[in-house]
Amino acid sequence: MQQYRITLLPGDGIGPEIMAVAVDVLKAVASQFNLEFVFQSALIGGAAIDAVGEPLPQETLATCQNSEAVLLAAIGGPKWDTLPRHLRPETGLLGLRAGLQLFANLRPAKILPQLIDASSLKPEVVSGVDLMVVRELTGGIYFGQPRGIFATETGEKRGVNTMAYSESEIERIGRVAFETARKRGGKLCSVDKANVLEVSQLWRDRLNQLSSEYADVELTHLYVDNAAMQLVRAPRQFDTIVTGNLFGDILSDIAAMLTGSIGMLPSASLGSAAPGLFEPVHGSAPDIAGQDKANPLAMVLSAAMMLRYALNQPVAADRIEQAVLQVLDQGDRTPDIMSPGMNPLGCQGMGEALLQALSRAA
Ligand code: NAD
């Protein structure tokens, strides 16, 4: 029997509620596919601040490093917003990403026919959209040096950031993107601003060189301004998009919003070596925490991404994704995706519906 150590980070707000559903789903899938998950829970974010006075205890990072994959629900909330920056929940999450050296962020955006009305775009534009944004996460302008606000000779202040990528940074994100495209529709679109920026010219050259090693993947290029336009004009043209940190930050949010429902969006962050971090795109939703109103599907779909990208169990991942489609098909809805005539469920009820769908599939 294949055994995997999974670190669970339930975090804050709705985190523990949605994590409980994901764990039940993983247990059900484990018994169906002869897998064994050894779950270890650890503290992060506000929960860690309350318990031990810091948002990312050393013990949590060590537990994560010692596992095959990390499932995170969400961190943060108003209770901790006024603490100094080094004690904020978000600092814990940034520390975790850095500590695990997660340089690639994968965010799928898929329109589910059952929820097509949730999109703010016309159904004929978004119908059939199924794309993935691969964003470089640890380089580019968010980390480049020099940076700061400096006084000039005239005494005027000047803000400076630096967009820089080395060939090796481009190559490692490029490889993740080509591999991802290979597992999907075999089309990779690289987004840059090579008409203006030297750093983008290097990005484009290096990706072109890499493409000779991935003859089965079709590589194209778009400037970022055109890519933003195309994403809302004709999003079906995209399969896999790869881009740097800044452009990826913006484009992945545009792509996510094509679907219109934040409670449905999973993500994965990967490094060169295990473990990857799998988490919903949404936050801790303090406004609905503890009320059994949270949509657990983004969390459950993050667990499916974990099976696919970290544990190489694509059939088990498919099984979970099919169960999600099935509960939506039968009209089950949490409040955030509710529409007239559908069957209202809470977070726990949605979890039970998923377990029933899984047991029917077995
Ligand atoms: P949010 O994503 O938590 O919530 C935005 C809105 O979406 C709220 O109305 C919320 O009720 C709703 N929502 C979010 N997830 C939902 C779900 N699964 N089911 C149903 N409704 C859902 O963003 P926010 O309100 O800007 O931030 C709240 C806290 O979360 C802040 O402390 C923020 O720093 C933190 N945050 C954490 C992460 C993370 O853990 N990765 C990401 C974003 C925000």
Side-chain angles (χ1 to χ4, degrees), residues 15-38:
E17 303 166 54
I18 58 175
M19 182 65 88
V21 172
V23 168
D24 283 347
V25 164
L26 282 170
K27 284 180 179 163
V29 168
S31 71
Q32 292 178 9
F33 288 88
N34 207 25
L35 309 172
E36 188 185 344
F37 297 123
V38 180

Side-chain angles (χ1 to χ4, degrees), residues 10 60 86-87 123 130 133 148 151 163 178 186 203 206 241 263 279 283 311:
T60 294
H86 71 283
L87 286 179
D130 180 358
V133 179
M163 188 187 273
F178 276 108
W203 177 281
R206 199 69 198 90
I241 293 173
E279 56 179 321
L311 310 184

Side-chain angles (χ1 to χ4, degrees), residues 14 74-77 90 93 262-263 279 282-288 294-295 336:
I14 61 170
I75 50 98
E90 292 76 11
L93 185 52
I262 195 164
E279 56 179 321
H282 63 72
S284 60
D287 51 332
I288 57 167
N295 182 348
D336 58 310

Side-chain angles (χ1 to χ4, degrees), residues 152-163:
T152 62
E153 281 171 8
T154 61
E156 189 190 16
K157 283 183 185 163
R158 188 159 179 267
V160 176
N161 289 91
T162 303
M163 188 187 273

Side-chain angles (χ1 to χ4, degrees), residues 6-11 14-26 39-42 44 70-74 278-280 282 294-296 299-300 303 347:
I6 312 291
T7 301
L8 305 175
L9 304 175
I14 61 170
E17 303 166 54
I18 58 175
M19 182 65 88
V21 172
V23 168
D24 283 347
V25 164
L26 282 170
F39 295 115
Q40 314 166 80
S41 285
I44 192 166
V70 180
L71 259 188
L72 168 73
F278 300 83
E279 56 179 321
H282 63 72
N295 182 348
M299 182 78 244
V300 167
C347 183

Side-chain angles (χ1 to χ4, degrees), residues 220-239:
T220 56
H221 302 274
L222 278 184
Y223 298 135
V224 62
D225 42 348
N226 190 14
M229 197 167 70
Q230 296 299 333
L231 265 174
V232 288
R233 192 188 73 88
R236 255 193 312 271
Q237 70 186 281
F238 294 106
D239 172 40

